Amino acid sequence: MSSSINIGISEDQRQQIADGLGRLLADTWVLYGKTHGFHWNVTGPMFNSLHGMFDTQYNELWDSLDEIAERIRALGMPAPFGDSTLTKLASLQEASSIPAAMEMVQQLMSDHEAVARTARTVFDIADGANDQPTADLLTQRLQVHEKTAWMLRSLLQN
């Protein structure tokens, strides 16, 4: 027995929001993997501080994957999964090598800014559909990505 979804958002709007959230999920997935890999491989004089910072960041990203995917499911749509599917949907590139520590910081700063831009594109769709739960999730994600980008950017300044 199947029951239809009647939450005040049309199926077409729910699909558009879910598609946008799928892109956010994909960007978050790639950023999670890159941050975790950089955590494992960072070296140099800032090892201790960067290793710890990246640890905090990848754990936060990991937790957010569930929140984003579960919102897609609450909208009645399937959440994309699998590394090849998510990397195709993502606007971010996976790391192709192990860069020097400050290049890691630069890449992660740029990637957090890119994820914020992805979240903003979905925000307009959610707002237009009167989808407050998605807008709230996006606001929370924007706060995290913008604050993280600022913290990483601060490390790059003299």
Side-chain angles (χ1 to χ4, degrees):
M1 179 176 151
S2 169
S3 56
S4 62
I5 296 172
N6 182 11
I7 58 172
I9 304 171
S10 73
E11 183 174 358
D12 183 55
Q13 287 174 313
R14 288 187 289 111
Q15 184 65 63
Q16 287 178 39
I17 295 164
D19 289 347
L21 288 174
R23 292 189 303 275
L24 181 63
L25 183 70
D27 278 358
T28 304
W29 176 259
V30 172
L31 182 54
Y32 162 78
K34 186 182 282 187
T35 306
H36 206 155
F38 287 178
H39 163 78
W40 289 330
N41 291 294
V42 68
T43 59
M46 293 192 60
F47 168 80
N48 202 43
S49 58
L50 291 178
H51 185 75
M53 177 186 272
F54 295 163
D55 179 84
T56 301
Q57 291 171 1
Y58 80 71
N59 279 302
E60 193 285 329
L61 291 164
W62 178 258
D63 291 342
S64 74
L65 289 167
D66 230 31
E67 295 173 32
I68 298 164
E70 288 175 358
R71 183 62 196 152
I72 294 169
R73 295 298 299 135
L75 291 167
M77 304 299 166
F81 66 96
D83 196 54
S84 62
T85 299
L86 291 170
T87 53
K88 279 182 206 147
L89 283 174
S91 69
L92 307 181
Q93 297 298 309
E94 292 183 313
S96 58
S97 64
I98 300 170
M102 294 318 284
E103 177 58 27
M104 289 177 177
V105 171
Q106 176 68 49
Q107 284 185 33
L108 294 177
M109 181 204 70
S110 295
D111 287 351
H112 277 279
E113 290 177 345
V115 179
R117 292 190 302 273
T118 297
R120 276 203 165 71
T121 65
V122 187
F123 196 93
D124 290 339
I125 301 165
D127 197 41
N130 205 25
D131 180 358
Q132 293 87 356
T134 297
D136 182 54
L137 172 64
L138 293 168
T139 298
Q140 291 174 43
R141 298 311 310 148
L142 281 163
Q143 287 175 329
V144 167
H145 292 294
E146 290 179 1
K147 182 176 182 179
T148 304
W150 158 62
M151 291 181 162
L152 292 165
R153 190 178 310 105
S154 295
L155 286 170
L156 298 169
Q157 294 171 341
N158 293 334

